[in-house]
Amino acid sequence: MTQSLKGRYAIVGLGLTEMGRVYDSAMGFAVEAVRRALDDAGLARQDLDGLCLNPGLAWGEAAMGSFALQQALGLRDLGYSTTMNIGGATAAAMVQHAVMAIEAGLATTVACVFSDAPLKPPKPAADGKQKQGSAAAYGFARGLNAAYGQFGVNALYALVARRHMHRYGTTNDHLGAVAVAERAWANRNPAAQFHETSLTLADYHRSRWIVEPFHLLDCCLVSNGGAAVIVTSAERAANLRQPPVYIWGFGQGHPGGDPVDTLTSGAPWARQNAFRMAGIDTSDVDVAELYDCYTFTVLVTLEDYGFCPKGEAGRFAADGTIAPGGRLPVNTGGGQLSSFYMWGMTPLSEGVIQARGQGGARQVEDHDVVLVSGNGGILSTHSTLVLSPLAS
């Protein structure tokens, strides 16, 4: 059954709000993203009969988030609605759910949406000085690990990265090569938050430590904004405003266990199903849009998809392979490190842009097979999409 789905569904609309230090509610960003996606596709609100929402941190628990968004959009008579959260793997998983809902006859046209607003406008302090809003906190540090300084996502990923360095000889120069490559791509993307700021390896090493081995520039941005894609059948896609981006394959992988021991994400499992459905192998991939909450995440994901042997991704990146002009373009919009952080919607949106051939100065010449990955937790959840401008 899975192979029969190849090319039968497509992404037909993409909506991106302004990103970064822009201020609105999470709901406001979500509504605007859907409106832009509809306009991009040449569709009207009443054409939507399915809705998938991945709520960001600013949504709180969002137990009925998709219903609240439906009301805000004024949508009626939905046949399919869901709120999903498997972290950064959710965006690609929402597309998978959209395809399956349409295949099952529950809907015909499904919007997949993410938004967040963790940054707050600066407020004057009592002394008249401005205080900058901060990203949403992860709560109070508790427990023995926290007492010794290990708390928060930065520290947990840093521990896995340090283990990779110990086992394979990965260095900060290797991590920095990822940051420098993605900034070079961002410099070609007018929508990137760091479009106008260049980065050298020396700049990377000068950035302050967050938690060793991570410098500031090893860590993703914090952004306000919203993103949406619209999924429908290939037949309907042929008559809409934008060139269809066909969904060739998809998969998920949720390994469990401790990544400090395995040094592996869920990519090998997600890759297996997605590549089998698409009828491709790693060597067929033209461009890769990989989840990059940290520079290290890119390295481990490159290894887990088989672009290089385990432990070799650092040297793979340092050789210029993933940078502009390299043989495997990776995160061509600047990724979450240098463009914007919309969880899994960052790689997905750039994958759509590249498959359409609409990347402008950053457009990759060969883009028949576009890989999109999503990652959640501490390498805990993973999703894969294979996209193409070709139906088959």
Side-chain angles (χ1 to χ4, degrees), residues 3 6 248-249 271-286 305 307 368-371 384-388:
Q3 286 185 330
K6 178 181 178 180
W248 274 17
R271 170 198 180 279
Q272 182 177 355
N273 287 331
F275 282 22
R276 181 173 60 243
M277 187 186 302
I280 67 161
D281 204 344
T282 302
S283 60
D284 297 311
V285 173
D286 294 317
Y305 276 99
F307 290 109
D368 285 349
V369 181
V370 179
L371 171 66
T384 303
L385 287 176
V386 180
L387 305 178
S388 179

Side-chain angles (χ1 to χ4, degrees), residues 183-245:
R183 183 65 59 86
W185 285 114
N187 293 153
R188 300 180 177 205
N189 177 10
Q193 289 182 228
F194 280 117
H195 170 60
E196 297 181 347
T197 307
S198 61
L199 179 67
T200 66
L201 192 58
D203 295 329
Y204 161 83
H205 282 292
R206 281 193 293 267
S207 67
R208 63 184 175 88
W209 290 108
I210 298 301
V211 52
E212 294 187 36
F214 291 155
H215 289 274
L216 175 66
L217 295 176
D218 286 303
C219 306
C220 68
L221 295 163
V222 178
S223 307
N224 287 355
V229 296
I230 296 174
V231 179
T232 192
S233 66
E235 292 80 5
R236 190 175 193 191
N239 300 313
L240 296 178
R241 181 172 292 164
Q242 294 289 349
V245 175

Side-chain angles (χ1 to χ4, degrees), residues 118-130:
L119 298 172
K120 306 305 178 187
K123 294 182 179 180
D127 59 6
K129 296 181 180 179
Q130 298 286 320

Side-chain angles (χ1 to χ4, degrees), residues 23-44:
Y23 303 107
D24 195 350
S25 66
M27 180 65 77
F29 284 124
V31 169
E32 181 63 21
V34 174
R35 286 175 175 167
R36 292 188 182 198
L38 287 168
D39 182 66
D40 184 60
L43 293 168

